[in-house]
Amino acid sequence: MKFYDRWVLPPILDLVMRQHQLLKYRREVVAAAIGRVLEVGVGSGLNFPLYDKQVEIVFGIDPSPRLLAIARRRAAAVGIRAEFLQGSATAIPLADNTVDTVVMTWTLCSIADPLAALREMRRVLKPGGKLLFVEHGLSPEPGIERWQHRLTPIWCHVAGGCHLDRKMDDLIRLAGFDTTRLRTEYANGPRPMTYMYLGWATPEMSVHWGEAVMAVQRSK
């Protein structure tokens, strides 16, 4: 991990992600979490004060050891039972069908292989489990979209791999999820950075059925 990514970027991310305007989105997403929760891109643990008593445990995964150290302190401060996993969402160290909820808040924009990460999330989710998300991404307005494509190479370099031009709902569906609920809108701020995708998704039943058939065939 480069010096900038390890030491400079984490406190910047913690400060930026504490913006008051983001809190309403966090509350809406985190309030629906239940049972065993995997938070992908847990960062500095800003969601921990928002988890309800219906959450049994939170597994927080993030590649940054410095952000995980802050998250550990925040979890302890609010009495959340949590386990922390340093690593990438493209290789989640949990068994298949072991979590009830996956939470993702402004995470998918910075994962190098978002489809691989989403498929890992689907793998660890129980059938009937939920992926809860709020992400920023590609705007439907052609003028804004053009600026997002222009800015992304530079923005990605200074903002920890963050892409402005990913169409989040399409990525979630391509990974084998049904988007049960989806809302899109602009938050306050520069439009290329603030087009929000908010909602939840469930694993497609046809995908689980296909995987079950393949597992039976392999066991023969």
Side-chain angles (χ1 to χ4, degrees), residues 54-81:
Q54 57 195 359
V55 169
E56 176 188 338
I57 184 172
V58 178
F59 299 97
I61 188 166
D62 201 279
S64 169
R66 191 168 184 194
L67 286 173
L68 286 175
I70 301 170
R72 205 172 271 112
R73 292 195 294 272
R74 283 204 169 113
V78 295
I80 287 286
R81 183 183 168 209

Side-chain angles (χ1 to χ4, degrees), residues 32 57 77 97 140 162 170 183:
I57 184 172
N97 307 322
C162 175
D170 284 355
R183 188 172 88 242

Side-chain angles (χ1 to χ4, degrees), residues 10 13 24 30 33 44 61 68 81 93 96-97 110 118 125 142-143 146 148 151 164 175 183 186 188 207 214 218 220:
L13 288 175
K24 67 174 184 177
V30 174
S44 59
I61 188 166
L68 286 175
R81 183 183 168 209
D96 296 0
N97 307 322
S110 59
L118 284 162
L125 261 178
R146 284 193 292 272
Q148 288 177 313
L151 290 170
L164 302 172
R183 188 172 88 242
Y186 287 104
N188 295 329
V207 173
M214 288 174 66
R218 285 196 299 268
K220 290 181 178 179

Side-chain angles (χ1 to χ4, degrees), residues 38-56:
L38 168 66
E39 186 171 334
V40 177
V42 68
S44 59
L46 291 168
N47 290 332
F48 283 130
L50 306 176
Y51 283 112
D52 202 345
K53 292 178 181 178
Q54 57 195 359
V55 169
E56 176 188 338

Side-chain angles (χ1 to χ4, degrees), residues 26-40:
R26 291 185 186 278
R27 281 183 174 146
E28 189 170 344
V29 168
V30 174
I34 61 170
R36 293 166 60 85
V37 175
L38 168 66
E39 186 171 334
V40 177

Side-chain angles (χ1 to χ4, degrees), residues 140-160:
E141 295 185 60
I144 304 297
E145 179 183 346
R146 284 193 292 272
W147 272 108
Q148 288 177 313
H149 291 315
R150 289 186 193 121
L151 290 170
T152 287
I154 301 166
W155 186 252
C156 198
H157 183 69
V158 299

